[in-house]
Amino acid sequence: MISTMEEIGKSFLKQNDVIEFKKEFDKLYSSVDYNNMFFYDFFHSVMSDRNQFESFIVASIFFFKDFPEDALPILEMVKKYCIPLSLKINFILWVLNNYNRNDEILKLIDLPYKDIFEKFDSKCHLDDNELKKVFEKFFSQDDELFDLILKLRDDFQNSMIFNRHTNLLNFESYGSEYYKKVIQSQFYIVKEIIFQVILFDIPLYDENYVLKFSQSYSAEGNCFDIKLVHASIKDIHIIKIDYMNNQKYALISSSNIKASQKKGIVIRIKGEFINDGFGKYSKNMDFCSEKINMLKEFSLPIDSSLF
């Protein structure tokens, strides 16, 4: 399922607006240094906030009064690219969040942008042809991307997470609330992987990079502590680790960098493998879930009647 999210991100990269966004982002992001403190503060705020394209929008509003003339292209980039890309990624969450039971459309959790997406609920989740018409309101015609989104939906609806949650929806219980949090964290990972693929790609580190590796299993998750050499994780939150012929996706929860005379730059990373979901008491799951919660009341600065 996570590999399909990465494929979706790569399919985004083939779209003309994303190609243009990447050119503009790479140019502006390369201006980040200590000699240009506004660029440094802006992009540091975006990357540390960790709410994907919404973080660009929030930062542009927060810094609006202080934008110097040479940073005005950032505002244009946010308006022209980041707002539409935020909607596109949230379209995917909308597809995953709505499901059909006995010809009734039901929702798993509350999501942002109800004013934009709810108007399409009535038919689209009963008929994939109707769903494709809505898809084309947000994307250019792209059969490959649409098919990948349907694949992700089908994988998700066949997952234990989805089925446990839908079976518990009618009960006010700890189990129901827990699976709601699981769904939220899963949706956050969808957004984060697509976002990271668009901006930076997801780096793969194998034994050639691994200096030291340890792994632990507990209710807090399938966690790891790893030291890497010849690696870079600047503004990266998800990586792939290929260790002992076992490739897994990993969410970084903390990192630090040290210089070694023998090994050069050594990066120590702690985090959690996410191929099989988060641990029941995972702090990373709590973090991801809360990030989705924070967006419930978030409004995009656009006219929703355009959709």
Side-chain angles (χ1 to χ4, degrees):
M1 185 170 165
I2 293 183
S3 62
T4 305
M5 300 174 198
E6 186 178 6
E7 288 182 61
I8 288 172
K10 290 177 179 178
S11 187
F12 264 78
L13 286 170
K14 299 174 185 177
Q15 297 217 327
N16 289 333
D17 60 335
V18 180
I19 292 170
E20 293 302 315
F21 164 75
K22 271 287 290 177
K23 290 178 183 175
E24 191 64 17
F25 170 79
D26 290 345
K27 180 174 69 175
L28 294 169
Y29 187 70
S30 66
S31 301
V32 176
D33 59 47
Y34 291 107
N35 295 319
N36 190 332
M37 288 307 297
F38 181 85
F39 277 73
Y40 176 84
D41 289 342
F42 180 88
F43 282 100
H44 176 73
S45 173
V46 169
M47 299 306 170
S48 60
D49 183 51
R50 293 182 64 177
N51 243 330
Q52 299 88 33
F53 287 106
E54 283 88 351
S55 293
F56 277 96
I57 299 163
V58 170
S60 67
I61 295 170
F62 180 81
F63 287 100
F64 183 78
K65 292 182 179 179
D66 301 317
F67 263 81
E69 189 170 347
D70 66 338
L72 291 179
I74 293 178
L75 283 177
E76 183 62 24
M77 178 187 74
V78 171
K79 179 180 178 182
K80 188 173 181 180
Y81 300 114
C82 295
I83 293 174
L85 282 169
S86 174
L87 271 179
K88 288 182 176 185
I89 294 177
N90 279 278
F91 168 87
I92 297 172
L93 299 194
W94 172 72
V95 171
L96 299 179
N97 193 51
N98 290 264
Y99 66 101
N100 171 18
R101 177 170 285 179
N102 299 323
D103 291 336
E104 181 183 4
I105 303 301
L106 302 174
K107 299 179 186 300
L108 294 170
I109 60 173
D110 289 332
L111 285 176
Y113 317 131
K114 290 181 181 178
D115 56 331
I116 296 171
F117 291 113
E118 281 190 339
K119 65 183 73 174
F120 303 120
D121 283 350
S122 58
K123 294 181 181 179
C124 295
H125 294 283
L126 301 174
D127 185 338
D128 286 350
N129 292 321
E130 293 294 326
L131 180 60
K132 190 168 186 180
K133 292 177 185 178
V134 180
F135 167 86
E136 290 174 355
K137 290 179 180 290
F138 296 92
F139 299 84
S140 58
Q141 283 192 338
D142 189 329
D143 290 342
E144 176 192 30
L145 179 56
F146 183 70
D147 288 344
L148 282 170
I149 292 171
L150 294 187
K151 181 179 185 300
L152 182 64
R153 180 196 64 185
D154 292 344
D155 290 347
F156 177 62
Q157 291 187 355
N158 287 322
S159 69
M160 182 193 72
I161 292 171
F162 175 85
N163 287 290
R164 287 279 181 88
H165 184 58
T166 54
N167 289 336
L168 289 167
L169 277 178
N170 294 326
F171 300 95
E172 292 295 330
S173 67
Y174 168 76
S176 178
E177 288 303 308
Y178 166 72
Y179 278 101
K180 185 183 296 184
K181 185 164 65 173
V182 173
I183 296 288
Q184 289 171 331
S185 63
Q186 190 84 336
F187 284 0
Y188 178 85
I189 293 299
V190 173
K191 292 184 65 187
E192 181 65 22
I193 285 181
I194 296 171
F195 176 76
Q196 188 174 303
V197 170
I198 291 173
L199 265 61
F200 305 116
D201 204 0
I202 298 178
L204 170 64
Y205 296 117
D206 58 19
E207 280 96 338
N208 295 317
Y209 296 90
V210 176
L211 185 62
K212 186 178 180 181
F213 177 85
S214 64
Q215 189 173 0
S216 63
Y217 300 87
S218 71
E220 292 188 353
N222 183 1
C223 299
F224 65 88
D225 186 340
I226 188 170
K227 289 184 179 179
L228 299 173
V229 292
H230 314 302
S232 173
I233 59 164
K234 184 176 183 293
D235 294 328
I236 295 291
H237 303 298
I238 292 178
I239 62 175
K240 288 183 286 188
I241 299 175
D242 190 346
Y243 191 70
M244 298 181 68
N245 296 317
N246 189 9
Q247 186 180 125
K248 293 182 178 180
Y249 290 85
L251 180 70
I252 296 172
S253 54
S254 68
S255 64
N256 61 68
I257 300 174
K258 291 185 178 180
S260 165
Q261 288 186 341
K262 291 183 178 181
K263 300 294 183 180
I265 300 298
V266 177
I267 303 176
R268 183 179 182 184
I269 302 170
K270 293 183 179 181
E272 185 174 352
F273 290 117
I274 57 175
N275 290 59
D276 300 318
F278 293 105
K280 187 170 184 178
Y281 300 112
S282 168
K283 294 178 181 178
N284 295 306
M285 180 172 69
D286 291 340
F287 170 85
C288 296
S289 172
E290 184 54 33
K291 284 296 180 181
I292 290 291
N293 262 330
M294 288 171 62
L295 291 176
K296 283 183 185 176
E297 306 303 322
F298 185 81
S299 297
L300 286 173
I302 59 171
D303 182 357
S304 63
S305 66
L306 295 175
F307 295 94

